[in-house]
Every structure is written in C-alpha cells, then in structure tokens.
Amino acid sequence: MDQQTAFRRAEKQYKVRDGLLDWSTVIDLSASSHTEGVHELCLAHDLCSPSALPFQLFTRTRPRAFTIDGHPGLIIIPNPFTDEAQRWLARKCLCDCTKPPNRTNLDPFFELPSTSLFTLASESNDTTRPQCLIDSRVLSDSFDSTVTKPKDTFYSQPASPRALLDRLRWCTLGWQYNWTTKLYDLGVSEFDPELNELMQAIAVAITNPTREAANSRSDNTYDGTQYESHAGIINYYDERATMAGHVDKTEENMDAPLISFNVGLDCVYLIGGTTRDTVPTPVLLRSGDVLAMCGESRLAYHGVPKILANTSPACLTDLDAGNNDVVAGKYPQWQYFAPYLSTHRVNCNARKCL
C-alpha cells in the first residue's frame, strides 16, 4: 500500500527529467489562455516604485494578477518588473544581502569576509589582483560546538570565493532565522531598506483585489500599508536543486502575506493545502514573477520540485545586458552575473513577524 502523502507523490512526479515532464498539468500564467480554475484579479491599488530609486521598477502600475481555485489568498503577478529592475534585484540578492551581519549557510564553516562572495569571485577573474582563499572554521577554536561537523572535507580547508559561491544555498535577512531551533533567535540585522520598500509596495498593491468574474470577493483583506519586512530568506537554486514541501509558520503574525519574487531560471512550484494530504497544484514560475501567500494560503504547504535549465531571459544572460544600468558602477561587471543567472534561480521572500 502506498503510504506517501499527496504532496510527496507530486514532488516525485515533477522531479523527472525535463523531456519527461507532463506540461499539460502545469499552470502557466504567461500563456495566452488560462487553465480552468485560474481567475484574473483586478488590483485596487497601484504598484508604485520607491521614489528613491533612480530607475523605473515596474512596467505598469496595475499589472495583471491571478489566483487559483482551491488556494484562497494565493496571488501571483507575472513579471511586473522592467529588465533593469530584474538585474537590480539580482545584484541586491547576490552582492548586498550576502554580506555580514546577514548569515548564509556557509557562515558556520568559514570565516567569511565583509565583501560579498560574488564580488570576490568576480575579482578572482582579474589576474592582476592577488588570489585569496577563505579560511575554514571547522578545525579552529571559532567553530561552534553545537554545529555538526560536516563529513565533506571541503569544509575543513581553505576555499576560494568561487568554490564557496558554488555552495551558497541561502542567506537570511533582518531577523536571523535558526534552522536548528526553527526560531528567530540568532540576532537582528537591518532588512535591506530598498527591498523592504519593494515588498511594502507589493503589499499595498495586492490589498483587497477583486475577481473579474461576477460575485467577486477579495483574496487578501490585509491592509498593506501596515506591512513591514522583518525577516526574509534568499534561496539560491542551481539546476539540480529542490525545495521540499513545507509551511512557514514561525512568525507570530500569520495575517500579513508572505511575499516573494524570483529572478533567473524558471521552476515548477507546488502549492497545496494545510496538510500534506491535499493534492497540490503545479504552477510554472518565471523570472520576475511575484507570488504572495495571503489569508488561508499563508499556512499552505508549498515547495519547488523542479528547476528548469536554459530558461533565464536574455535580459539577464546576455553578457553586456547590464553595462548601462544606472547602478552598474556599484557592482561587478554584468559579464560575471550573466553566467551565474544562466544556471541559477534566485528567490527572495519576506515576512512580517509581529
């Protein structure tokens, strides 16, 4: 007898090789016609770019938005960002947010410097610069004895920034999440102010949307003007990575939406119900897509069983795409971002904790 949950069966179904994936079951919101059960929403508020940014974040103030039957409170906005904004988000997530005091999955094992790994890895391509190695903590007195020592010897010896960048899986923003205790008990850093303003703008825009069909109702009654990003996680997926089904429920405030955006490779995203026994719905998320889990969907199981290779848009993968961006001078040249974004998906999510 099959003892697997419905969510687990779906995860296995969509982990298959690309050529074997049954696309007829996956909802693609960028398609010209949508699957039965998909409903377009009318946003009641404008999606406004933060005034301090010297470029336009969004292509329109009232982008298209959708929800899906069986998942009340789930709101998806297919890529509302300009090309320059997507590149800005990638720069923020790879360079600004990975620096201390924010923590990454590598911090327990290496003495990470104040400069981001991505910047150091980019500089290592310059043969005129001295090449650096980053020391391991594992065999030193600075290693936290409560952390399990990894069996992989990679973590016990100095490593180059490029090698470490290949093993970067996540970083935490704002309130620092402890993956062992499942609590925010590792201190507090400032949530990136510009990303917080972006999340606040999204929260306002998705307040009290209505469905286009008759007998419409709101899929999110939370007042977005009260939203503030207290904590967040940025996940870095390579082409083989997955995210197992889970529920985000550590936060005291479960009324405010959990908001996320994606840049880079497309993925199959599963959204289920409040137990693993609910059959989840597969949705194709593309670069730039915004997803908000509001209301009942805030407690829904969700996960990513499949990253789709060779799907990043040209605005990210062209080697010279970002050379003329307003903020280009503050970061490594775009020729270093393009190869990474050709083979990775970056997902940033934020939540209000109180």
Side-chain angles (χ1 to χ4, degrees), residues 55 61 86 95 114 121 128 131 160 182 189 198 233 250 304 342:
F55 58 91
T61 56
Q86 282 204 58
C95 295
S114 58
T128 65
Q131 302 302 298
S160 69
K182 308 298 184 186
S189 65
L198 166 62
I233 300 170
T250 301
V304 177
S342 297

Side-chain angles (χ1 to χ4, degrees), residues 328-354:
K330 300 178 182 179
Y331 299 94
Q333 295 179 9
W334 192 256
Q335 63 180 341
Y336 301 121
F337 289 93
Y340 185 92
L341 294 169
S342 297
T343 57
H344 288 79
R345 171 183 182 251
V346 179
N347 169 264
C348 177
N349 59 77
R351 64 287 309 274
K352 180 179 172 68
C353 296
L354 295 176

Side-chain angles (χ1 to χ4, degrees), residues 3 44 101 118 141 157 159 164 169 177 179 185 203 237 244 248 251 262 266 309 315 339:
Q3 298 297 319
F118 192 90
D141 293 339
Q157 54 195 346
L164 290 178
R169 297 293 178 263
Y177 186 71
W179 299 87
D185 59 8
Y237 298 81
D248 296 283
E251 297 74 34
N262 314 276
D266 299 349
C315 68

Side-chain angles (χ1 to χ4, degrees), residues 36-59:
E36 182 180 354
V38 174
H39 303 277
E40 186 154 4
L41 298 173
C42 295
L43 298 183
H45 305 276
D46 287 347
L47 184 58
C48 300
S49 293
S51 58
L53 290 180
F55 58 91
Q56 187 64 34
L57 264 186
F58 306 114
T59 56

Side-chain angles (χ1 to χ4, degrees), residues 64-94:
R64 301 184 75 184
F66 300 89
T67 191
I68 301 171
D69 277 351
H71 307 287
L74 179 71
I75 300 175
I76 302 175
I77 304 177
N79 182 22
F81 297 106
T82 63
D83 290 352
E84 184 169 4
Q86 282 204 58
R87 293 190 292 267
W88 173 74
L89 293 172
R91 288 170 166 126
K92 297 290 289 183
C93 291
L94 286 167

Side-chain angles (χ1 to χ4, degrees), residues 151-166:
K151 295 180 180 179
D152 188 342
T153 57
F154 172 87
Y155 294 92
S156 301
Q157 54 195 346
S160 69
R162 180 172 296 281
L164 290 178
L165 182 63
D166 288 340

Side-chain angles (χ1 to χ4, degrees), residues 90-99 104-107 110 112-113 115-125 132 134 154-155 158-171 234-240 332 335-341 343-346:
R91 288 170 166 126
K92 297 290 289 183
C93 291
L94 286 167
C95 295
D96 295 344
C97 294
T98 55
K99 296 186 290 188
T104 76
N105 61 294
L106 298 170
D107 276 272
F110 292 94
L112 297 182
T115 303
S116 74
L117 284 177
F118 192 90
T119 299
L120 291 174
S122 303
E123 291 174 349
S124 69
N125 290 278
C132 69
I134 296 174
F154 172 87
Y155 294 92
S160 69
R162 180 172 296 281
L164 290 178
L165 182 63
D166 288 340
R167 298 193 180 219
L168 179 65
R169 297 293 178 263
W170 53 260
C171 74
I234 303 177
N235 295 301
Y236 306 90
Y237 298 81
D238 62 24
E239 295 167 339
R240 298 162 297 174
Q335 63 180 341
Y336 301 121
F337 289 93
Y340 185 92
L341 294 169
T343 57
H344 288 79
R345 171 183 182 251
V346 179

